[in-house]
Amino acid sequence: APKIFPWLYAVVKPTFHIRSLEQIHVYGTNGDKWKPVLLKLIDKDQLPEAYGGTRKVTNEFLEITSRDFEDFDETFEDFETDMCIYTVEAGEKFQVALDVRFPNSVIQ
């Protein structure tokens, strides 16, 4: 959690039901505290290295099989690459459909 979050959480914590509080854990920015907790919940080979696991994040787990960007104008220079940027304004919705090639894949 960002550095300010534990302080904000302490302010709103009294308004939460006790059952909800039992399910919320705030560890702050110290990875030595939260990484072991993640490793108890997620297999090390499924957890990206940045979070204490061994999984290398690569593009091989995601294949874009089709694109349907009706709302885009034709000004995108890199439209044929595997990445495009679209800014979503406040209150606007943007839907992306992905075909996942491997079960239990993680999208980051």
Side-chain angles (χ1 to χ4, degrees):
K3 291 182 180 183
I4 195 169
F5 186 79
W7 179 82
L8 291 173
Y9 179 64
V11 171
V12 297
K13 187 176 175 179
T15 65
F16 286 28
H17 189 277
I18 188 70
R19 289 181 62 196
S20 296
L21 290 174
E22 291 172 351
Q23 298 176 32
I24 298 172
H25 305 280
V26 179
Y27 294 97
T29 58
N30 185 347
D32 293 336
K33 292 182 179 180
W34 55 263
K35 285 181 183 180
V37 176
L38 284 180
L39 288 169
K40 288 180 182 177
L41 301 170
I42 303 170
D43 292 336
K44 195 171 193 169
D45 66 330
Q46 295 298 308
L47 194 61
E49 291 175 326
Y51 301 108
T54 59
R55 185 178 199 140
K56 302 247 188 251
V57 178
T58 64
N59 289 336
E60 74 182 54
F61 296 102
L62 176 65
E63 178 182 356
I64 298 175
T65 58
S66 65
R67 290 189 176 95
D68 185 12
F69 297 120
E70 297 171 0
D71 296 332
F72 287 129
D73 58 28
E74 298 296 325
T75 60
F76 283 100
E77 295 174 9
D78 295 327
F79 191 71
E80 293 303 319
T81 66
D82 286 340
M83 181 175 77
C84 63
I85 298 170
Y86 181 75
T87 303
V88 180
E89 301 297 331
E92 183 181 2
K93 294 179 181 178
F94 181 69
Q95 183 174 349
V96 178
L98 301 173
D99 294 324
V100 179
R101 292 175 43 195
F102 302 102
N104 302 317
S105 295
V106 177
I107 299 173
Q108 297 182 355

